[in-house]
């Protein structure tokens, strides 16, 4: 019986005692929840871990190189500049830009498909989503309540339209907030109400779960009216079947035993209708003899049961195919609703959604957090949930390692939208729901969600490509230079050459956001796993370093090159291996044979590689202190690069078969 702050009194009367104010009210607690700092998403946490990893590696390597070179070569300034250049080379400077370009491109594409992106970083999380929690009404159903039939307690149809007649009077004279059931009754067909005059109304409340009106019916001169020719005053009650049957007797009941049998029969009929997916209200009436102006709930007694009115919010056309598509994208669906479990189960059956289990809000209320975390994995339908219980379900799923999306449009959905990794609302939702959401659908359609998920996974895949490139080739080359600087009598590359290498390499990565993505990477959700990143860095970084040292040995010990020529050779080998390995790393499949890069990636890599050759041999070579190389030596470097790419392809296949498999096992 509480009245929540922010409620509007539309009709009726009553006395109110203030028991809570401000933050202590339910409304205030919702507002307080929304004011809290939003939890970092799974992708945010992954990027943070990645940044810490890069920072630790950079500090350790740079400090080591600086002190060792300063000690061995006794040139503090040159050692400092070389260490600083290595730090720049190790840093993935383009990461913010790559992410920004990816997300901006994705938001434009999603906008064309009816998805407005409020928070750009949510697109990445959207792609990683593996559980979608959604309400039932309007998402799985048409959100269009239709009156289907009027029947008595035995399930017989209403031959003289008496049930509909009184339900229509109740709806047409209802002056409170118009609900969808009243609208469905009035839209079903029109009845002449000129013989009726409204006397009073007893508003609906959640304790009684019914509403009543009192009308005067003028007498029929021809005697064809429902109550004969005399004028009558009638009380009509409409509401939840349990509440109506509690104040009613059945027309054919002669004693209390007959009444009990009739109520039991009526309840079975009601349960059967609910199991068939109908929303059901019941009606009862009585002739009023006490002629007064104001009636109260105490007058709702000794009434005669009339029958049931059954409504249907039909399953949305095409939603079955959409759900199958979501499941094919490895997203499990969980229904979180305040509606009856029987109606929700019927809708789930109609749309072909297999229910692994059903849980009620009362069950959630009694469970500990640990037990709830266990049960949510085996439950598909959560019915009769309160807003705070929805938040608990979402929190339990997140603690189990899932990336959770939530689709809602009401005030009570706002805390759940904030609690989920990615909140999705609709354009016609209440303002507080839209403010809490990360994405807004122009239309309440799961089809738009699928397009958004696919785009999110495309963006994530292309972002991950850059991260893997930065950790493998960058780390490998900078580590090799740090090691070679300790063994050579000169620096393997001058600081300006290291910076040129880094500038050209980064330029070749501008097109990664436009790259093609394999279908397998769109079908399944992916997370930024820092353990995967570390192992990838070690395996491919070491592979790159092995070929760097092979080149180092050939140039210095076999061909005995001077400092300038050595630096030119290593610059070319370093640039070629860093730039061309993108074709290997960008896919788990065999490069070019099973997975083709986009023309943007091909063009950018070839153009930048051509610029590297120009800087090494062109008119500006002297500015960077490069010396020319013989064609024979250039051919040998090209052979080393080819063998490296071949080994990288073989290593990739081993890595995804052995190392990633062991990660999944753990």
């Amino acid at each position: 019986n509480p009245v929540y702050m922010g409620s509007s009194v539309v009709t009726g009367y009553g006395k109110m005692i203030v028991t809570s104010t401000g933050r202590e009210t339910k409304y205030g607690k919702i507002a307080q929840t929304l004011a809290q700092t939003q939890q970092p998403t799974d992708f945010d946490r992954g990027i943070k871990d990645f940044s810490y990893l890069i920072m630790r590696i950079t500090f350790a390597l740079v400090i080591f190189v600086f002190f060792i070179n300063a000690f061995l070569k006794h040139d503090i300034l040159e050692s400092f500049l070389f260490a600083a250049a290595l730090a720049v080379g190790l840093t993935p400077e383009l990461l913010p830009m790559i992410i920004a370009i990816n997300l901006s491109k994705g938001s434009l594409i999603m906008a064309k498909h009816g998805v407005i992106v409020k928070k750009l970083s949510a697109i990445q999380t959207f792609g990683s989503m593996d559980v979608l929690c959604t309400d039932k009404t309007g998402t799985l159903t048409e959100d269009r309540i239709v009156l289907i039939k009027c029947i008595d307690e035995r399930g017989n149809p209403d031959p003289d339209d008496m049930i509909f007649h009184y339900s229509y009077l109740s709806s047409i004279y209802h002056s409170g907030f118009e609900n969808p059931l009243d609208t469905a009754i009035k839209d079903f067909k029109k009845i002449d109400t000129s013989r009726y005059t409204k006397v009073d109304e007893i508003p609906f409340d959640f304790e009684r779960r019914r509403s009543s009106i009192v009308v005067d019916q003028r007498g029929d001169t021809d005697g064809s009216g429902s109550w004969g020719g005399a004028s009558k005053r009638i009380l009509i009650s409409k509401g939840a079947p349990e509440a109506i049957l509690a104040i009613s007797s059945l027309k054919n009941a002669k004693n209390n035993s007959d009444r009990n049998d009739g109520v039991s029969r009526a309840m079975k009929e009601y349960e059967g209708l609910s199991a068939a997916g109908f929303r059901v209200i019941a009606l009862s009436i009585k002739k009023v003899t006490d002629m007064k102006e104001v009636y109260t709930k105490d007058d709702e007694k000794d009434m005669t049961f009339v029958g049931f009115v059954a409504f249907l919010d039909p399953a949305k056309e095409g939603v079955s195919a959409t759900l199958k598509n979501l499941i094919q994208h490895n997203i499990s669906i969980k229904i979180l609703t305040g509606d009856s479990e029987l109606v929700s189960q019927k809708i789930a059956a109609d749309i072909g959604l297999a229910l692994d289990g059903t849980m009620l809000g009362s069950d959630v209320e009694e469970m500990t957090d640990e037990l709830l975390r266990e049960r949510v994995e085996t439950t598909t339908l959560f019915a009769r949930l309160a807003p705070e219980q929805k938040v608990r379900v979402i929190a339990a799923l997140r603690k189990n390692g899932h990336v959770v999306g939530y689709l809602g449009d009401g005030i009570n959905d706002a805390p759940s939208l904030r609690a989920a990794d990615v909140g999705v609302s609709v354009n016609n939702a209440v303002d507080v729901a839209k403010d809490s959401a990360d994405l807004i659908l122009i239309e309440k359609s799961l089809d738009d969600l699928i397009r958004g998920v696919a785009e999110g996974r495309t963006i994530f895949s292309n972002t991950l490509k850059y991260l893997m490139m930065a950790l493998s080739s960058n780390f490998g080359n900078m580590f090799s230079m740090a090691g070679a600087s300790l063994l050579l009598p000169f620096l393997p590359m001058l600081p300006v050459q290291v910076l040129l290498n880094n500038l050209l390499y980064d330029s070749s990565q501008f097109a990664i956001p436009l790259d093609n993505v394999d279908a397998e990477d769109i079908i399944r959700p992916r997370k930024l796993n820092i353990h995967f990143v570390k192992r990838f860095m070690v395996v491919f970084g070491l592979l790159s370093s092995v070929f760097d040292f092979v080149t180092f040995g050939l140039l210095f010990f076999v061909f005995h090159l001077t400092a300038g020529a050595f630096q030119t050779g290593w610059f070319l080998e370093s640039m070629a291996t860093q730039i061309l390995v993108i074709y290997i790393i960008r896919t788990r499949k065999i490069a070019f044979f099973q997975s083709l890069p986009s023309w943007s990636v091909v063009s950018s890599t070839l153009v930048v590689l051509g610029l590297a050759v120009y800087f090494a041999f062109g008119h500006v070579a002297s500015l960077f202190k490069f010396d020319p190389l013989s064609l024979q030596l250039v051919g040998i470097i090209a052979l080393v690069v080819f063998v490296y790419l071949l080994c990288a392809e073989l290593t990739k296949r081993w890595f995804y078969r052995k190392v990633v498999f062991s990660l999944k096992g753990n």
Side-chain angles (χ1 to χ4, degrees):
N1 59 355
V3 177
Y4 297 133
M5 183 180 74
S7 300
S8 298
V9 178
V10 178
T11 187
Y13 54 88
K15 295 179 181 179
M16 183 182 74
I17 300 174
V18 176
T19 59
S20 302
T21 60
R23 295 180 179 178
E24 298 304 315
T25 63
K26 291 284 186 180
Y27 198 85
K29 288 178 180 177
I30 290 177
Q32 199 171 2
T33 301
L34 301 181
Q36 295 174 355
T37 303
Q38 195 163 4
Q39 293 288 330
T41 65
D42 184 75
F43 184 78
D44 293 333
R45 291 190 294 269
I47 289 293
K48 182 180 178 181
D49 292 340
F50 172 79
S51 301
Y52 282 142
L53 175 65
I54 287 291
M55 185 175 65
R56 290 195 298 267
I57 294 172
T58 301
F59 276 133
L61 190 58
V62 167
I63 291 172
F64 173 77
V65 167
F66 170 71
F67 282 107
I68 292 298
N69 274 280
F71 176 76
L72 294 177
K73 297 182 173 58
H74 308 291
D75 190 334
I76 295 178
L77 179 60
E78 186 180 68
S79 299
F80 174 77
L81 291 175
F82 181 69
L86 286 183
V88 173
L90 279 169
T91 305
E93 304 96 335
L94 283 188
L95 180 58
M97 190 199 72
I98 292 289
I99 292 177
I101 292 176
N102 264 323
L103 296 179
S104 299
K105 177 178 72 75
S107 67
L108 292 174
I109 293 173
M110 291 171 71
K112 292 178 182 178
H113 293 298
V115 182
I116 299 173
V117 180
K118 284 184 57 188
K119 183 180 177 184
L120 281 178
S121 61
I123 300 177
Q124 302 271 17
T125 310
F126 206 29
S128 301
M129 179 179 68
D130 62 339
V131 175
L132 175 63
C133 297
T134 178
D135 61 355
K136 173 181 66 67
T137 304
T139 305
L140 305 179
T141 66
E142 293 286 355
D143 197 11
R144 180 174 51 85
I145 304 296
V146 179
L147 191 155
I148 301 299
K149 57 184 175 180
C150 299
I151 57 175
D152 64 15
E153 77 277 5
R154 298 177 180 273
N156 299 320
D158 183 17
D160 55 4
D161 261 2
M162 183 178 66
I163 301 172
F164 177 77
H165 182 86
Y166 291 116
S167 67
Y168 186 83
L169 290 174
S170 175
S171 297
I172 205 73
Y173 287 122
H174 171 70
S175 61
F177 181 78
E178 186 170 297
N179 62 67
L181 300 182
D182 283 323
T183 302
I185 290 172
K186 289 186 287 186
D187 289 345
F188 185 72
K189 66 179 177 179
K190 306 299 180 184
I191 289 180
D192 180 14
T193 59
S194 59
R195 294 188 296 112
Y196 296 92
T197 304
K198 179 180 177 181
V199 177
D200 196 16
E201 179 175 358
I202 308 170
F204 177 89
D205 66 60
F206 285 96
E207 185 177 354
R208 291 163 42 246
R209 298 174 64 199
R210 60 181 177 262
S211 65
S212 299
I213 63 160
V214 181
V215 295
D216 279 337
Q217 175 190 4
R218 293 192 298 274
D220 268 344
T221 56
D222 58 0
S224 62
S226 300
W227 293 88
S231 297
K232 306 291 182 184
R233 178 165 288 188
I234 313 164
L235 174 64
I236 306 170
S237 289
K238 177 183 69 180
E242 304 96 326
I244 294 297
L245 286 168
I247 60 171
S248 305
S249 62
L250 278 79
K251 287 177 287 187
N252 298 325
K254 297 178 181 178
N255 52 50
N256 194 52
S257 176
D258 290 341
R259 182 192 181 280
N260 291 337
D261 290 342
V263 169
S264 176
R265 184 168 57 249
M267 285 301 297
K268 286 182 180 179
E269 182 63 30
Y270 160 58
E271 290 171 358
L273 289 169
S274 297
F278 292 102
R279 295 181 66 174
V280 183
I281 60 171
L283 285 118
S284 62
I285 60 173
K286 80 171 180 178
K287 191 161 49 175
V288 178
T289 56
D290 188 2
M291 300 297 176
K292 54 186 180 180
E293 293 184 2
V294 176
Y295 291 84
T296 68
K297 61 183 181 182
D298 294 331
D299 294 297
E300 297 174 330
K301 60 184 178 181
D302 301 326
M303 305 190 70
T304 302
F305 181 79
V306 177
F308 297 112
V309 183
F311 306 83
L312 190 63
D313 183 8
K316 186 173 289 186
E317 187 177 352
V319 75
S320 298
T322 303
L323 289 178
K324 289 179 181 177
N325 205 343
L326 282 169
I327 293 170
Q328 287 172 356
H329 281 76
N330 292 278
I331 298 174
S332 61
I333 308 297
K334 295 189 183 293
I335 302 174
L336 277 59
T337 180
D339 284 351
S340 159
E341 69 276 15
L342 293 176
V343 174
S344 302
Q345 287 168 354
K346 178 61 169 62
I347 292 297
D350 288 344
I351 62 177
L353 178 63
L355 297 181
D356 293 332
T358 300
M359 191 184 301
L360 301 181
S362 56
D363 301 325
V364 174
E365 190 68 28
E366 296 173 357
M367 288 183 183
T368 62
D369 289 341
E370 290 74 18
L371 180 58
L372 182 60
R373 285 181 60 181
E374 179 182 340
R375 290 287 303 278
V376 292
E377 295 296 329
T378 57
T379 304
T380 304
L381 172 62
F382 299 83
R384 300 188 186 275
L385 288 182
E388 59 272 15
Q389 293 165 349
K390 291 183 180 182
V391 172
R392 283 194 66 198
V393 171
I394 292 169
L397 288 166
R398 291 189 67 188
K399 287 178 181 177
N400 287 348
H402 295 289
V403 178
V404 182
Y406 181 81
L407 177 59
D409 57 5
I411 292 176
N412 289 335
D413 290 317
S416 300
L417 289 166
R418 293 277 296 200
D421 290 289
V422 55
V424 185
S425 191
V426 291
N427 195 37
N428 61 349
V430 298
D431 289 342
V432 69
K434 290 191 286 187
D435 288 342
S436 303
D438 303 308
L439 306 170
I440 297 177
L441 305 179
I442 300 299
E443 296 181 1
K444 199 170 185 179
S445 169
L446 292 178
D447 289 329
D448 294 332
L449 284 180
I450 294 174
R451 298 187 187 100
V453 167
E455 189 59 34
R457 292 179 182 178
T458 299
I459 291 170
F460 180 87
S461 295
N462 284 336
T463 303
L464 189 60
K465 290 174 189 177
Y466 176 77
L467 296 182
M468 293 191 296
M469 287 285 294
L471 281 178
S472 57
S473 56
N474 266 22
F475 173 75
N477 279 279
M478 296 304 116
F479 179 79
S480 302
M481 264 187 271
S485 68
L486 307 180
L487 303 174
L488 292 170
F490 49 82
L491 291 176
M493 269 195 229
L494 299 177
V496 67
Q497 294 168 348
V498 174
L499 294 177
L500 177 63
N501 177 300
N502 190 60
L503 174 63
L504 291 175
Y505 165 72
D506 282 346
S507 300
S508 71
Q509 308 305 304
F510 283 156
I512 284 182
L514 304 176
D515 191 24
N516 299 329
V517 175
D518 294 337
E520 291 80 356
D521 292 332
I522 296 178
I523 288 296
R524 56 189 176 85
R526 302 175 69 185
K527 297 181 182 180
L528 186 53
N529 187 333
I530 198 64
H531 299 293
F532 166 83
V533 169
K534 286 179 180 178
R535 295 196 182 190
F536 192 93
M537 177 189 70
V538 171
V539 171
F540 286 88
L542 289 178
L543 177 67
S544 177
S545 291
V546 166
F547 279 87
D548 285 340
F549 280 111
V550 168
T551 305
F552 156 66
L554 289 172
L555 298 179
F556 188 72
F557 292 108
V558 177
F559 291 95
H560 307 290
L561 297 182
T562 60
F566 181 94
Q567 290 159 358
T568 304
W570 203 344
F571 173 80
L572 288 174
E573 185 269 345
S574 175
M575 287 301 306
T577 53
Q578 285 186 95
I579 291 175
L580 296 179
V581 79
I582 181 61
Y583 299 127
I584 309 299
I585 289 176
R586 59 170 295 278
T587 177
R588 295 190 179 199
K589 299 179 179 180
I590 300 175
F592 290 103
F593 290 96
Q594 295 179 334
S595 178
L596 291 174
S598 68
W599 281 109
S600 302
V601 170
V602 174
S603 301
S604 66
T605 52
L606 294 182
V607 168
V608 172
L609 190 57
L611 286 173
V613 173
Y614 171 74
F615 280 115
F617 298 116
H619 296 88
V620 296
S622 59
L623 294 177
F624 297 96
K625 299 183 179 180
F626 287 127
D627 289 344
L629 299 176
S630 66
L631 287 177
Q632 179 190 11
L633 196 52
V634 172
I636 291 174
I637 292 173
L639 179 62
V640 170
V641 171
F642 175 79
V643 175
Y644 163 72
L645 295 176
L646 182 62
C647 291
E649 179 65 45
L650 296 174
T651 302
K652 177 185 72 177
R653 299 182 70 79
W654 169 83
F655 178 82
Y656 283 114
R657 187 173 63 252
K658 298 291 185 180
V659 179
V660 174
F661 179 78
S662 67
L663 277 174
K664 290 180 180 177
N666 292 331

